[in-house]
Amino acid sequence: MSEKKLITPRKLAGFMELEPSKQIIFDEMTEKIKKVFKKFAFMPLDTPVLEYSEILLAKSGGEIDKEVYAFTKGDTNVCMRYDLTVPLARYVAMNEPTLTFPFKRYQIGKVFRGERPQKGRFRELIQCDVDIVGLEQLPIVADAECVNITCEVFKALSLNALVHISNRNILFGYCESLGLADKTIDILVILDKINKIGREVAMEELEKIGTTSMQANDLISLTLKQGTFESVISEIKDLSDNQLYQKGISELTELHSYLKAFGINENSYTCDIGIIRGHNYYTGTVFETYMPEHLDFGAVSAGGRYDNLTGYYSNKNMPGVGVSIGLTRLFDLLDKNNMLKTKSTEIELQIIPLGDTLTNCLELQAFFKDRLICEVNYDNRSFKSKMKEANKKEIPYVLIVGENEVESGEYSLKNMNTGEQITISKEKCATFIKKNNLLDRLTDLKQKYQKKASE
Amino acid sequence: MSEKKLITPRKLAGFMELEPSKQIIFDEMTEKIKKVFKKFAFMPLDTPVLEYSEILLAKSGGEIDKEVYAFTKGDTNVCMRYDLTVPLARYVAMNEPTLTFPFKRYQIGKVFRGERPQKGRFRELIQCDVDIVGLEQLPIVADAECVNITCEVFKALSLNALVHISNRNILFGYCESLGLADKTIDILVILDKINKIGREVAMEELEKIGTTSMQANDLISLTLKQGTFESVISEIKDLSDNQLYQKGISELTELHSYLKAFGINENSYTCDIGIIRGHNYYTGTVFETYMPEHLDFGAVSAGGRYDNLTGYYSNKNMPGVGVSIGLTRLFDLLDKNNMLKTKSTEIELQIIPLGDTLTNCLELQAFFKDRLICEVNYDNRSFKSKMKEANKKEIPYVLIVGENEVESGEYSLKNMNTGEQITISKEKCATFIKKNNLLDRLTDLKQKYQKKASE
C-alpha cells in the first residue's frame, strides 16, 4: 500500500450520518411513526428515488430548479425525488384503474434537495408522509384523519406538540371580498411572514402592493386570529358573506366536528388563521405542527388539502390531503437540544471468553439467541481490554466464561452499571436479565409518572 | 386544465415499484431480516445515497464505470452508491478513532446500478448487509458469525437455503504450488464459470492460457469438490503443502468448528471449493447461498472475508468479513415463482356508516385504535359500493353502523370471507376479531406442521 496515494475519507456536506448509537434512536422513531401510520390502516408504498425529469419537473414546465439533483444517464434525463408527493401523484395517475379509492398510503423514504448546506438544512432528508387520495371527491373527514394521525405521531414520540389548523379558502375569499382577488398570492406571501416581520412592516408591505390601510389592517387582524375552533369561528364567521370565505368557515367547522369525534386531546390542536403554507398547491385545509416549548424549531410537520394532485398527468380529478413529517430535521433539532432519549446500545449481554472457551461461548450465544440480544467478544485482546471495550459500548451485562465455569455450568454475570457480580446458570441468566430490564423500565415509567403528576 | 398538455405518467425501466399489497410482504421480509441482524448484536448504520465520486470510484482510479450513476452538482463530482461496502469502508476509515472494534454494523438500504435493464435486473436494489470490521486483526470466528447469520436469515424467511463455503487461499495456494501464480486471476475466472461452460470447455480454456492438461485436470477436480466439511477437507488437505494452501485448509477447518458450536443445522451449509466470487477483494473465506429447489435463482446471498477494506482511505489495516442479501432480486424471484405468502392487507376491520352515523363511526375508530388496525369507510358512495370496495381490499371484517345500531350499542359484524353476520358490542368486537385471527394463525401453523411431518 505504501506506493498508493491515500484518498482522504470524507462525506458530502449536508448529509446526515449518525453514529450507530444515535441511529438506533432514529430507527426507533421511524418505527413508532410507521406503527401509527399502519394503525390507521394506511398501506405502504415505495417509489423509486429516480424519476424521469419530465415527471418530477412538470410543475415548473420542465425547468430545473437549482435545488433538484438532475442529470442525464445515457440519453435519459432523470431527477432524484425532492419530495414524496410528486411521485405519489405519478403513481396514482399511472395506476388509477386498479386502485381502490380513497387510496391511503404511507411512505417513509429519503428525498434529496441540493440546496446550499447551512445550519439545520439537509440535502438528504427522510420524510414520513401519509396521504389520502380520492377519485372525483374526497370528504373533509379525510382532512381530520390527517390531523388525527399527526397528533398520534407526536404522542407516540412523547413530544409535546400543537397542530395549528386553518383553511386557505378563508383568506382567499376575504381577499376576493375586498376586491383584491388579483393580488391574493402577493398578499398571502406577506401575511405568511407576519410573525417574522411584525405587524408594522406587514402593514407597510401590504400598502406597497396596493391595499388601503384599512384593508391591510383587516387582513392582518384576520390572520392573527388564533384560539379554540369555537372562539375563532364565532369571531370571524360573519366577517364576510363571500362564497369562498363561507366555504372555508364551513369546512373548518366540519373538520372540527370530526376532530372531536376522534377524541383528540383539545390541547393538541388549535385554530390559527395565520397558517398559510407557502406551497401554492394547497386549496383548503392547511396545518402545521409546532412544539410550544420550542417554537424556535419552527414547523415540525405540515400538511393540507390539494384539490388536483394529478393535474399534470391525468384528466381525472383526484383531490388529496396529506401530512409530511421531516424526520431528519426533527431528529437533528432534538439531538442539538439534548432531547433524545439516550440509549447507546440494544445489546443486552456480552459473553467474554476467559482462557480457551471460545466455542463454549458460541454455544452459549446460540442458547441465548432467541432470548436476548447477545454477542461474544471474540477479539484477540486481553481480558482486561475486552472488559474495557464492553464498558465503552455501554453493555449492561457481561457473562464471564472461564474453563472452570464451563465445567460447573455456573458463570459469572457482571452488572456493568453497579459492578455487582453473581454466579448463575445459563437458564437463569436470560430470565434474570429480562426481569431486571423490566424492572428498570418500570422504574423509568414511575419516575416519568411522578414528574408529570408533580407538574 | 383543458389547455394544459398532459404528461404521460411513467416510471423509469428497471426500478421496482410494488403495489401496496405486495409492498406489505416486502416490508415484512425486511423486518424479519433486520430482526436477525439485531439479534446478533449488530448496530445500524445509514450512510448517504450520494458520495464524492473520488471516494466511490477509488477502486477504479476515478474512472466512471458505466453502471455507476455519476454526475456533477455545482462543481462537485458525485455518485450514487452502487453497494453498501464502499461507503462502509469510507465510514470506518473516517471514524476509526471513535469506533469500538470489531465494529459490527448492519445496513439495509437502496443501491443504484445503471446497467441496461433486462429480465431480473434492477437499477435500484435494496441490499441487506452485515459486516464485521476489525482493527489490525479479525479472528475467523467473525467469518463463522456471518455464515450463521445467513442461515438464520433464510430460516426467518422460511426459505430452504444452502450456504456453499470455501476459502480462496486454497485455489490461490494451489495455483502457486503448480507454478501458475502469475496466471491465478485468469485461472479463477475460468474455474468460476465451470458450472456454466462444463468441464470440457474449462479444460480447453485453461490449456489456452498455458496450463498443462494435467494441471487443468487437477485444478478442475479440486474445484469440483463439494460435500461435508469433514469429507472435503480430508480429501484435499494433503494435495499440496504450499503455505497459502494450508492456510486455506486450516481456516476452513477452524470455521467449521465454530459453525458446529453455533449449532447450525448441518443441512444448511456445505463445503464447496468451487465457490470463487468474482470480486477480487475477497481474500479468505467466501460463501454463496443457493436455494436447492430453485438453483435457477442463482446465488441469493454472498459474502466473504476481505483483508484490507479501507486500503484506499487509511494506512491502518482493517480486515473485514460480511454478507449481502439482495432483497429486491430475491423478492422478484419469489414473486415470479408464486412463492410469496399472499396477504393483501393488514387492515383487520372496516367500519361502514349506514345513514348519518359518520361521527359515531369515528368515535368507534378511536375506541379501536389501540386494539385493531381499523378504518372508517367515509367515501361518499352508496352502502353497496362501500361493501364492494371492502371486498376488493380483502378486508376480513366489516362493522356496519346504522342509526339503530348507534342507539342500541350493538353493531352488525360481518365476516367477509364466510358472509356470516353477528350482532356485537364494541368491547366484544375487538376481542372477537383478535381471537379469530389467532385461531386462523393456529390453523395455518397446524397445516404447516402436518405438511412438514408428512414429508
Side-chain angles (χ1 to χ4, degrees):
Chain A
M1 294 303 300
S2 54
E3 305 152 43
K4 211 185 278 169
K5 206 178 146 258
L6 290 181
I7 296 163
T8 310
R10 61 204 179 108
K11 166 183 85 58
L12 288 162
F15 286 73
M16 178 182 271
E17 182 169 76
L18 300 169
E19 53 191 285
S21 59
K22 289 213 168 138
Q23 188 65 45
I24 288 177
I25 307 172
F26 191 99
D27 290 354
E28 275 182 0
M29 289 176 71
T30 314
E31 281 311 310
K32 283 177 183 166
I33 295 171
K34 194 192 283 183
K35 214 173 144 188
V36 172
F37 292 170
K38 285 169 87 164
K39 193 162 86 172
F40 287 97
F42 284 68
M43 302 275 268
L45 183 68
D46 181 30
T47 63
V49 163
L50 290 176
E51 298 263 1
Y52 282 108
S53 296
E54 189 191 42
I55 298 288
L56 285 200
L57 305 174
K59 199 164 59 177
S60 58
E63 209 174 299
I64 297 174
D65 189 296
K66 68 178 190 306
E67 291 197 357
V68 177
Y69 285 103
F71 60 100
T72 304
K73 175 77 183 170
D75 47 13
T76 311
N77 294 323
V78 297
C79 285
M80 295 174 82
R81 64 185 180 207
Y82 54 83
D83 73 5
L84 301 175
T85 312
V86 179
L88 169 67
R90 192 264 306 151
Y91 179 83
V92 292
M94 211 172 126
N95 296 286
E96 180 266 310
T98 64
L99 299 178
T100 314
F101 290 90
F103 177 66
K104 292 158 68 176
R105 83 90 179 79
Y106 73 86
Q107 182 164 5
I108 297 177
K110 290 183 170 179
V111 303
F112 300 85
R113 293 175 192 171
E115 52 193 323
R116 186 185 294 274
Q118 42 177 301
K119 223 183 137 212
R121 291 278 188 160
F122 293 95
R123 290 170 155 178
E124 181 182 74
L125 303 110
I126 293 187
Q127 299 284 114
C128 308
D129 281 26
V130 290
D131 288 88
I132 307 172
V133 183
L135 186 59
E136 302 303 338
Q137 50 89 17
L138 185 68
I140 295 294
V141 61
D143 306 42
E145 188 150 50
C146 289
V147 173
N148 189 25
I149 287 172
T150 306
C151 294
E152 289 282 334
V153 161
F154 285 93
K155 205 165 84 183
L157 296 175
S158 306
L159 296 174
N160 185 17
L162 184 63
V163 186
H164 294 240
I165 307 166
S166 185
N167 189 302
R168 302 234 300 182
N169 290 319
I170 292 173
L171 283 171
F172 284 152
Y174 199 66
C175 288
E176 210 174 86
S177 74
L178 296 175
L180 298 166
D182 57 328
K183 295 194 173 65
T184 303
I185 297 297
D186 295 333
I187 291 171
L188 292 189
V189 167
I190 296 166
L191 295 177
D192 198 15
K193 54 186 181 185
I194 199 163
N195 284 326
K196 275 186 209 152
I197 60 176
R199 190 171 183 128
E200 300 302 310
V201 180
M203 281 288 287
E204 279 168 36
E205 291 200 11
L206 284 171
E207 287 175 47
K208 215 177 286 167
I209 62 163
T211 74
T212 68
S213 83
M214 204 169 103
Q215 286 174 333
N217 195 53
D218 288 351
L219 279 163
I220 290 172
S221 296
L222 178 56
T223 306
L224 290 177
K225 294 282 182 222
Q226 201 217 310
T228 63
F229 273 73
E230 286 90 349
S231 68
V232 172
I233 290 173
S234 79
E235 274 183 68
I236 69 169
K237 72 175 194 297
D238 299 324
L239 285 185
S240 162
D241 55 6
N242 172 283
Q243 207 184 336
L244 210 50
Y245 186 87
Q246 285 302 325
K247 187 173 181 247
I249 297 287
S250 118
E251 287 183 354
L252 212 48
T253 310
E254 186 180 350
L255 179 80
H256 182 225
S257 71
Y258 301 135
L259 299 182
K260 283 191 291 187
F262 278 127
I264 310 176
N265 185 325
E266 284 184 25
N267 297 324
S268 302
Y269 62 89
T270 181
C271 185
D272 181 353
I273 307 302
I275 296 301
I276 288 166
R277 304 292 307 138
H279 296 79
N280 286 328
Y281 59 80
Y282 288 118
T283 51
T285 305
V286 276
F287 54 97
E288 291 180 350
T289 309
Y290 291 86
M291 294 173 57
E293 293 137 24
H294 300 275
L295 289 175
D296 55 310
F297 286 8
V300 291
S301 96
R305 155 80 63 145
Y306 32 85
D307 266 339
N308 204 352
L309 177 66
T310 55
Y312 296 105
Y313 317 118
S314 164
N315 276 322
K316 299 231 168 129
N317 174 30
M318 296 192 229
V321 59
V323 59
S324 180
I325 296 149
L327 188 55
T328 300
R329 194 176 153 273
L330 176 61
F331 185 90
D332 183 56
L333 288 167
L334 296 175
D335 190 15
K336 291 206 170 108
N337 287 276
N338 296 315
M339 290 168 68
L340 294 175
K341 265 194 324 185
T342 51
K343 180 178 187 180
S344 57
T345 183
E346 293 179 302
I347 304 175
E348 296 171 293
L349 177 68
Q350 189 180 80
I351 306 172
I352 301 191
L354 186 59
D356 190 18
T357 61
L358 179 55
T359 54
N360 306 101
C361 290
L362 301 182
E363 284 162 10
L364 282 168
Q365 186 187 4
F367 172 80
F368 287 123
K369 80 171 185 230
D370 293 319
R371 297 171 169 92
L372 293 174
I373 297 183
C374 148
E375 65 175 359
V376 175
N377 190 331
Y378 46 65
D379 205 24
N380 282 342
R381 276 166 248 261
S382 69
F383 178 74
K384 205 174 148 192
S385 66
K386 279 180 191 168
M387 287 300 279
K388 240 168 94 180
E389 271 169 35
N391 212 26
K392 188 174 165 197
K393 282 175 91 168
E394 299 185 35
I395 309 261
Y397 288 97
V398 150
L399 194 71
I400 300 159
V401 181
E403 286 161 24
N404 292 337
E405 280 85 354
V406 170
E407 211 159 298
S408 67
E410 296 275 325
Y411 310 92
S412 300
L413 180 70
K414 183 167 183 171
N415 181 325
M416 297 293 279
N417 292 318
T418 63
E420 265 178 288
Q421 195 162 319
I422 57 168
T423 300
I424 199 163
S425 70
K426 63 180 180 184
E427 289 81 7
K428 284 186 184 149
C429 178
T431 328
F432 180 85
I433 293 174
K434 279 287 175 208
K435 196 188 76 189
N436 280 24
N437 283 347
L438 199 63
L439 286 175
D440 287 351
R441 235 174 304 157
L442 281 174
T443 311
D444 278 358
L445 273 176
K446 201 176 149 192
Q447 281 170 354
K448 218 167 157 185
Y449 174 78
Q450 284 170 338
K451 201 182 142 218
K452 279 258 176 208
S454 70
E455 274 170 14
Chain B
M1 295 305 298
S2 55
E3 306 152 39
K4 211 184 278 168
K5 207 179 146 257
L6 290 182
I7 296 164
T8 310
R10 60 205 178 106
K11 164 183 87 55
L12 287 163
F15 287 72
M16 179 183 271
E17 182 169 76
L18 300 169
E19 53 191 284
S21 60
K22 288 211 170 141
Q23 188 65 44
I24 289 177
I25 307 173
F26 191 98
D27 290 354
E28 274 182 359
M29 289 178 71
T30 315
E31 280 311 310
K32 283 178 184 167
I33 295 171
K34 194 192 283 182
K35 213 173 145 188
V36 172
F37 292 170
K38 285 170 88 164
K39 194 163 84 173
F40 287 96
F42 283 68
M43 301 276 269
L45 182 69
D46 182 28
T47 63
V49 163
L50 289 177
E51 298 263 3
Y52 283 108
S53 295
E54 188 191 43
I55 298 287
L56 284 199
L57 304 174
K59 200 165 59 176
S60 59
E63 209 173 300
I64 298 174
D65 189 297
K66 68 180 190 305
E67 292 196 357
V68 177
Y69 286 103
F71 60 99
T72 304
K73 175 77 182 170
D75 47 14
T76 312
N77 294 324
V78 296
C79 287
M80 295 174 81
R81 66 184 179 208
Y82 54 84
D83 73 6
L84 301 175
T85 312
V86 180
L88 170 67
R90 191 264 306 149
Y91 179 83
V92 292
M94 214 172 124
N95 296 286
E96 180 266 312
T98 64
L99 299 178
T100 314
F101 290 91
F103 177 67
K104 293 159 67 177
R105 84 88 180 80
Y106 73 86
Q107 184 165 5
I108 297 177
K110 288 183 172 181
V111 303
F112 300 85
R113 295 177 191 169
E115 51 193 324
R116 186 185 292 276
Q118 42 178 302
K119 222 183 138 211
R121 292 279 187 156
F122 292 95
R123 289 169 155 178
E124 180 181 75
L125 303 110
I126 293 188
Q127 299 285 115
C128 309
D129 281 26
V130 289
D131 287 87
I132 307 171
V133 183
L135 186 59
E136 303 303 338
Q137 49 89 14
L138 185 68
I140 295 294
V141 61
D143 306 43
E145 189 150 48
C146 289
V147 173
N148 188 25
I149 286 171
T150 307
C151 294
E152 289 282 335
V153 162
F154 285 93
K155 204 164 85 184
L157 297 174
S158 306
L159 295 175
N160 184 17
L162 185 63
V163 184
H164 294 242
I165 306 165
S166 185
N167 188 301
R168 301 234 300 183
N169 290 321
I170 292 174
L171 284 170
F172 284 153
Y174 199 66
C175 288
E176 209 174 86
S177 74
L178 295 176
L180 298 165
D182 57 327
K183 296 192 172 68
T184 302
I185 297 297
D186 296 333
I187 291 171
L188 291 189
V189 168
I190 297 166
L191 294 178
D192 198 17
K193 55 186 179 181
I194 199 163
N195 285 325
K196 275 186 208 149
I197 60 176
R199 190 171 184 128
E200 298 304 309
V201 180
M203 281 289 289
E204 279 168 37
E205 291 200 10
L206 284 171
E207 287 175 48
K208 216 178 284 167
I209 62 162
T211 74
T212 68
S213 83
M214 204 168 101
Q215 286 173 332
N217 194 54
D218 288 350
L219 280 163
I220 291 172
S221 297
L222 177 57
T223 306
L224 291 178
K225 294 283 181 222
Q226 199 217 311
T228 63
F229 273 72
E230 286 89 350
S231 68
V232 173
I233 291 174
S234 80
E235 272 182 70
I236 68 168
K237 73 174 194 298
D238 298 324
L239 284 185
S240 163
D241 54 7
N242 171 281
Q243 207 184 337
L244 210 51
Y245 186 88
Q246 286 301 326
K247 185 172 182 249
I249 296 288
S250 119
E251 287 182 356
L252 213 48
T253 309
E254 186 181 349
L255 178 80
H256 183 226
S257 71
Y258 301 134
L259 298 182
K260 282 192 292 186
F262 278 126
I264 310 175
N265 185 326
E266 284 185 24
N267 296 323
S268 302
Y269 63 89
T270 180
C271 184
D272 181 352
I273 307 302
I275 296 302
I276 288 165
R277 303 292 308 139
H279 296 79
N280 287 328
Y281 59 81
Y282 288 119
T283 50
T285 306
V286 277
F287 55 96
E288 290 179 351
T289 309
Y290 291 86
M291 293 175 58
E293 294 137 23
H294 300 275
L295 289 175
D296 54 310
F297 286 8
V300 291
S301 96
R305 154 79 64 144
Y306 33 85
D307 266 339
N308 202 353
L309 176 65
T310 56
Y312 296 104
Y313 318 116
S314 164
N315 276 323
K316 298 230 168 131
N317 175 29
M318 296 192 228
V321 60
V323 58
S324 180
I325 297 150
L327 188 55
T328 301
R329 194 175 154 272
L330 175 60
F331 185 90
D332 184 57
L333 288 167
L334 295 175
D335 189 15
K336 292 207 170 107
N337 287 275
N338 297 313
M339 290 167 68
L340 294 175
K341 265 194 322 181
T342 51
K343 180 176 187 182
S344 56
T345 184
E346 293 179 300
I347 303 174
E348 295 171 294
L349 176 69
Q350 190 180 81
I351 306 173
I352 302 190
L354 186 59
D356 190 18
T357 62
L358 179 55
T359 53
N360 306 101
C361 290
L362 300 183
E363 284 161 12
L364 281 168
Q365 186 187 4
F367 172 80
F368 286 125
K369 79 172 186 234
D370 293 318
R371 298 170 169 92
L372 293 173
I373 298 182
C374 149
E375 66 175 0
V376 175
N377 189 331
Y378 46 64
D379 205 25
N380 282 342
R381 276 167 246 261
S382 69
F383 178 74
K384 205 174 147 190
S385 66
K386 278 180 192 168
M387 287 299 280
K388 240 168 96 179
E389 270 170 35
N391 212 26
K392 189 176 164 196
K393 281 176 93 169
E394 299 186 33
I395 309 263
Y397 288 97
V398 150
L399 194 71
I400 300 159
V401 180
E403 286 161 23
N404 293 338
E405 281 84 353
V406 169
E407 210 157 300
S408 68
E410 295 275 322
Y411 310 92
S412 300
L413 181 70
K414 184 167 182 170
N415 181 324
M416 297 294 278
N417 293 318
T418 64
E420 265 176 290
Q421 196 162 316
I422 58 169
T423 300
I424 198 163
S425 70
K426 64 180 180 184
E427 288 81 8
K428 284 188 184 150
C429 178
T431 327
F432 179 85
I433 292 174
K434 278 288 176 209
K435 195 188 77 185
N436 279 25
N437 283 347
L438 199 63
L439 285 177
D440 286 351
R441 233 174 305 156
L442 282 174
T443 312
D444 278 357
L445 273 176
K446 200 174 149 191
Q447 280 171 355
K448 217 167 158 186
Y449 175 78
Q450 284 171 337
K451 202 182 141 217
K452 278 259 175 206
S454 72
E455 274 170 15

